[in-house]
Amino acid sequence: RRSHAVALDSPNAGFAAGLMVPPPTPPPMPTTPRSTLGSPLCTHATRRSGSGDLAAGPRRRNSLSEVEVLPWLCCMAPALSLFGIYISIIVTSLFFPRIFYILTACLTFIVLLWIANLAFSSMLGAYRLREGTRIDWHALLEQLQNDDPTANDVLHIVLLPNFKENERMLKETLENLGCSPMARGRTRVVLAMEAREGQAAREKAERLISQTSHLFADIFATFHPENVPGEVAGKSSNTQWAYREALRQYGPILLGCDLSRVFLTVGDADTHWHPQYLSAMTYQGLTMSGEDRAWRIWQPPVLLMRNIFTVPAMTRASAHATLIFELSSLANQKVFPAFAYSAYSLTLALASHPEVDGWDVDVIAEDHHMYCKCYFASLWEQAHAVKTAKEHDQIPPITPQLCVQPIFLPAVSFLVESSDGYLASCIARFHQARRHMQGIVELGYVLLQYTRLVKHTGFGGLPVMTHAQVCAIAFKMHTLHITTTAQCFALIMAALTKIIPAVVGFLLSGGLMALMQEQASGIVAQAWASWGSLDAAQQTMAASMGNISGVVVLYSITCFVVVLDVIEGRYYEVMGHPTHEINPVAEGDETTADSLQRQEDEDEKRKDGKPSFVVGRQSFFARASLLLSIFNDTAFVGYAAITIYALIPAVMAAWSLIRRGTDFEYIVAEKPE
């Protein structure tokens, strides 16, 4: 493979300097006071910073688990905000009804604006998803490589962290990844296993490698050790271990390469990327300058649909919400930036930047956290340049350089589902929601980074737009984790303290019998009189609640279009040129007769190269049934799903922050077998 060296005076020289391939026997790591108890008590944890990192330049370690007052306050801020709003709702609903109506109306109005933006933006996202899947990205890449031979100097490294995942599902993921036209020549895969899974993990990795090694340029497995001091067990720490091992494994290949042409992709064990995803990312990246490419995170819309028709209604409702959120975030970044989520890509230039240094090992929400860390890395780099600049140097303003680049090709994954039935599936989804809501702490991480940056530069050292963009990130996180759940809680309190007592009183007073005896005109007049009896605060709350129902229709239509496009195969009409045919189950695979039959059925479906969840064109009645089902999930199950899968897990995560700080428990949910 041709190597494209980075000149020392090139824009990417700083990135290249940040690449440190760990030596076989690393020196003892320094330690720093670190707390995971929710209060500034002194314990010690290993810090991921060695002599190589220090030689690469200034290194700031911003972590909420530091034993200092500021990190502790920032860590507590999300929990204090959540409980402060919840307590205000309880107190005002019981003792200050007028204030309660105004508070509920304000929360509902904010949520209305939020979901209206999601609804309209997601419609644009659905349109762009159709447009993106009609493009033959690999043909464009081949044309670019023919015109510019240096465009062949690219490398892909895919990290697949997993823990106790089904072997069959992992094999399907690898086979799907192998369908990429770039798989065999340019893609290296790292199976990031957990050593705490035991000998079974090593045996599973050996079988998977032997069955799929012919699909890629290289594939190997790493085994993240357990109980490493200072680490939180989970995807982030496992990804960091795999990242370091990949640098060790491919160090000779990477030395002298342009690190902005080395693409790292992180995904879940059940992620099915579109076959043209790597080609599209490569094409988009190579048409940028090296500096722009180095500050990019590529994100496909993640669609949780592989088993959408077999999960409980509340789980489907949460999947619809995820779909709307992801599409809208990628399609419209004018106000709120898109975050990295679940399956994403970045360059080695960005991952090895001295301010990034890979993935943090003391967090749970690795995707959002990585986005925030990279976002502030660009600001810290510029802030450091300002401090070291000479008096007469022209210094550009400190502005964010990181950009999430959407690739409108679907990445389809499973929803959580248990083989033990309906109730067990609901419980499994609740456990997953608990882990997702632990991401509430990332709001505190943004506050910590922002506070220290302002302290370093001075408030006036940052342009107004930079302040505004950081506030937009914080507002989005607050709305996602706190405001929406608080609005749901306010409606629950309104039902318990106002609506249900009023309905019971109406029934006991004979109001229902009187209403049944009234003519239609009398009913309208009585309803109008009841509305007139409400004060301004009550009318405002009722009106704002009623407006949300109109947005539900837009939600349902967008979800219907995307789900239908997935199952009918509209997104897979342009597949590129797969580098292999999917092999049948090999002898010795641990599969039952039923699972073998399912494998044969799916192989038959995939002869045209399309994924197994593509079932073909649907009839009119099937489409109508799908639309009604989605509308039912969104309109009638939505608030129940928010209560169980958002409100309660958010309260539990906030309480855990107060009790234990960032020492979260990593919770693993079941996936279908």
Side-chain angles (χ1 to χ4, degrees), residues 278-346:
L278 296 180
S279 300
M281 175 175 58
T282 306
Y283 176 78
Q284 291 186 12
L286 294 180
T287 53
M288 304 174 184
S289 67
E291 185 73 11
D292 289 341
R293 188 166 59 243
W295 289 111
R296 285 294 190 277
I297 293 179
W298 286 268
Q299 178 67 58
V302 178
L303 310 181
L304 306 176
M305 294 185 184
R306 290 182 62 181
N307 58 329
I308 195 168
F309 298 113
T310 61
V311 296
M314 285 196 301
T315 304
R316 287 199 305 271
S318 65
H320 300 330
T322 302
L323 184 155
I324 294 293
F325 179 78
E326 286 302 303
L327 282 180
S328 62
S329 297
L330 294 175
N332 183 7
Q333 300 189 53
K334 294 185 181 299
V335 179
F336 301 110
F339 298 156
Y341 173 66
S342 182
Y344 55 95
S345 304
L346 67 162

Side-chain angles (χ1 to χ4, degrees), residues 219-426:
I219 180 172
F220 77 103
T222 63
F223 300 90
H224 176 225
E226 59 181 331
N227 300 324
V228 178
E231 287 194 358
V232 174
K235 183 179 176 181
S236 190
S237 55
N238 191 3
T239 302
Q240 174 65 9
W241 183 269
Y243 164 69
R244 288 297 188 188
E245 290 299 304
L247 296 186
R248 192 189 306 272
Q249 177 85 359
Y250 302 128
I253 299 175
L254 297 174
L255 291 177
C257 289
D258 180 349
L259 302 188
S260 71
R261 290 173 177 255
V262 180
F263 298 91
L264 302 177
T265 297
V266 179
D268 291 335
D270 61 336
T271 303
H272 272 207
W273 284 278
H274 192 281
Q276 296 227 38
Y277 172 75
L278 296 180
S279 300
M281 175 175 58
T282 306
Y283 176 78
Q284 291 186 12
L286 294 180
T287 53
M288 304 174 184
S289 67
E291 185 73 11
D292 289 341
R293 188 166 59 243
W295 289 111
R296 285 294 190 277
I297 293 179
W298 286 268
Q299 178 67 58
V302 178
L303 310 181
L304 306 176
M305 294 185 184
R306 290 182 62 181
N307 58 329
I308 195 168
F309 298 113
T310 61
V311 296
M314 285 196 301
T315 304
R316 287 199 305 271
S318 65
H320 300 330
T322 302
L323 184 155
I324 294 293
F325 179 78
E326 286 302 303
L327 282 180
S328 62
S329 297
L330 294 175
N332 183 7
Q333 300 189 53
K334 294 185 181 299
V335 179
F336 301 110
F339 298 156
Y341 173 66
S342 182
Y344 55 95
S345 304
L346 67 162
T347 64
L348 182 55
L350 180 56
S352 62
H353 188 283
E355 293 289 348
V356 178
D357 190 30
W359 286 258
D360 283 349
V361 298
D362 55 354
V363 300
I364 291 291
E366 127 282 342
D367 40 18
H368 287 188
H369 186 86
M370 189 63 171
Y371 166 82
C372 294
K373 186 164 68 162
C374 294
Y375 180 91
F376 281 100
S378 69
L379 300 179
W380 277 113
E381 181 183 83
Q382 296 170 78
H384 178 70
V386 170
K387 288 291 185 180
T388 58
K390 297 180 181 179
E391 184 177 351
H392 301 292
D393 289 346
Q394 263 194 333
I395 303 298
I398 301 174
T399 56
Q401 302 298 311
L402 183 72
C403 178
V404 173
Q405 183 75 24
I407 295 183
F408 285 102
L409 298 173
V412 188
S413 299
F414 277 116
L415 286 160
V416 172
E417 184 180 7
S418 173
S419 58
D420 294 331
Y422 187 96
L423 181 60
S425 293
C426 292

Side-chain angles (χ1 to χ4, degrees), residues 615-635:
V615 296
R617 185 174 178 82
Q618 302 294 291
S619 67
F620 171 80
F621 293 104
R623 293 183 177 187
S625 176
L626 176 62
L627 178 59
L628 292 176
S629 173
I630 292 175
F631 181 79
N632 174 73
D633 295 339
T634 307

Side-chain angles (χ1 to χ4, degrees), residues 463-508:
V464 174
M465 286 305 299
T466 301
H467 287 291
Q469 290 183 30
V470 174
C471 290
I473 293 175
F475 181 84
K476 182 175 182 177
M477 288 185 170
H478 191 281
T479 303
L480 185 62
H481 293 287
I482 299 176
T483 306
T484 52
T485 60
Q487 188 261 353
C488 181
F489 182 66
L491 295 184
I492 293 174
M493 291 302 300
L496 294 177
T497 62
K498 311 299 177 187
I499 299 175
I500 293 179
V503 171
V504 172
F506 175 77
L507 295 176
L508 294 179

Side-chain angles (χ1 to χ4, degrees), residues 88-105:
S88 299
I89 291 172
I90 294 173
V91 172
T92 56
S93 66
L94 296 177
F95 304 107
F96 307 100
R98 184 178 179 83
I99 298 177
F100 170 71
Y101 296 140
I102 295 174
L103 177 59
T104 303

Side-chain angles (χ1 to χ4, degrees), residues 563-607:
V563 174
L564 187 65
D565 285 350
V566 169
I567 63 177
E568 289 191 341
R570 189 170 284 109
Y571 296 150
Y572 298 93
E573 293 176 351
V574 182
M575 300 282 288
H577 307 286
T579 58
H580 75 286
E581 294 181 358
I582 296 177
N583 297 324
V585 177
E587 183 179 357
D589 282 0
E590 295 180 352
T591 54
T592 63
D594 291 340
S595 64
L596 182 59
Q597 182 61 46
R598 288 197 302 269
Q599 175 71 36
E600 292 175 353
D601 294 341
E602 291 174 6
D603 286 343
E604 182 67 25
K605 292 179 182 178
R606 286 185 288 185
K607 282 182 178 178

